[in-house]
Amino acid sequence: MLRLLKAAWILFWAILLTLILFFPIVIAALLGKRGDAAFHGTQIYAWIILKVCGIRLKVRGRENIEPGQRYVILSNHASYLDPPALVLALGLQYRWVIKKELRKVPLFGLALEASRNLFIDRSKGSDALESIKRGVGQLPDGTGILIFPEGTRSWDGKLLPFKKGGFVIAQDGELPILPVTICGSHQRLPKGSAAFSRGDIEIVIHPPMASGALPLDDLMTDVRNSIASSL
């Protein structure tokens, strides 16, 4: 019964916040040239979601972020709480690379699209990657992108194999990679469950890596080792 109540609680707040913030976020996105105001709207959503779930956010390594620098941010992914935690922890403007299925979610998907996030059709392979490259090139100065290189949430919190897309985008755009580790989110809200538990989520921001300094496979290994070092 407690698990059902917790699932209903988080679903209630997700729907309520979507209804309340949908129009302000979309209007801000349509009126603004950069989409920054809409991004701040998602930070309000994230802050409330973490608060009502009893999540305490801890952040290490913010000094590794250079203000105004555009990054390809790569992070591990084990929970639906990862996106709100990252939105609040990083303190910089970025847009998501999101699977296209989320565009179909009522109101939520439209808000994501209006906020200039980038959608990817994973069934289209190289064509999808090329469209993301073009989208990155059209983002405002100082606005990066965030990708989960595992491609999906981990069932047990352990790192899954990395996909190459984010690394190719970084090398093609000559952008530095910012590795980020999320610790504890799997324990707070694991994949396959809607019942959260109160506690800490820690975000560890690692020193950025130059994407063009190494061959692709070596770059992927170094970034993976960096992320894994704090798990």
Side-chain angles (χ1 to χ4, degrees), residues 35-210:
D36 293 1
F39 185 81
H40 292 318
T42 66
Q43 291 177 314
I44 296 172
Y45 183 105
W47 185 85
I48 296 175
I49 283 290
L50 295 186
K51 282 295 182 182
V52 300
C53 291
I55 304 301
R56 296 180 297 271
L57 188 61
K58 298 182 177 180
V59 185
R60 287 193 288 127
R62 275 208 186 108
E63 67 277 6
N64 291 318
I65 296 176
E66 180 182 342
Q69 173 64 54
R70 175 186 290 185
Y71 295 103
V72 174
I73 306 161
L74 300 180
S75 169
N76 61 308
H77 189 25
S79 172
Y80 278 136
L81 292 175
D82 294 341
L86 289 168
V87 163
L88 292 175
L90 296 180
L92 75 166
Q93 283 282 334
Y94 63 87
R95 302 294 178 261
W96 299 90
V97 175
I98 311 169
K99 58 184 179 181
K100 69 166 188 175
E101 289 79 7
L102 288 179
R103 182 184 275 162
K104 300 177 182 178
V105 178
L107 299 184
F108 183 73
L110 180 57
L112 289 175
E113 185 170 6
S115 302
R116 298 175 177 82
N117 292 290
L118 308 177
F119 293 88
I120 185 168
D121 184 349
R122 291 178 292 186
S123 67
K124 292 188 177 180
S126 59
D127 289 342
L129 185 59
E130 288 301 320
S131 70
I132 295 299
K133 288 180 183 178
R134 291 192 295 271
V136 171
Q138 295 170 3
L139 290 175
D141 292 342
T143 301
I145 62 165
L146 192 148
I147 300 173
F148 294 123
E150 296 163 282
T152 188
R153 288 169 293 149
S154 167
W155 281 101
D156 58 6
K158 297 179 181 178
L159 279 179
L160 300 172
F162 280 8
K163 301 180 183 298
K164 295 182 178 180
F167 300 91
V168 173
I169 290 169
Q171 289 190 331
D172 184 75
E174 299 180 347
L175 298 173
I177 291 174
L178 188 68
V180 176
T181 306
I182 306 173
C183 306
S185 65
H186 170 71
Q187 289 76 16
R188 304 284 73 80
L189 184 62
K191 183 176 181 177
S193 173
F196 62 91
S197 61
R198 295 173 177 270
D200 297 339
I201 292 178
E202 183 177 34
I203 306 294
V204 182
I205 304 165
H206 302 280
M209 297 182 179

Side-chain angles (χ1 to χ4, degrees), residues 74 76 159 162 179-181 206 223-231:
L74 300 180
N76 61 308
L159 279 179
F162 280 8
V180 176
T181 306
H206 302 280
V223 171
R224 183 184 177 87
N225 289 341
S226 179
I227 294 173
S229 68
S230 292
L231 284 176

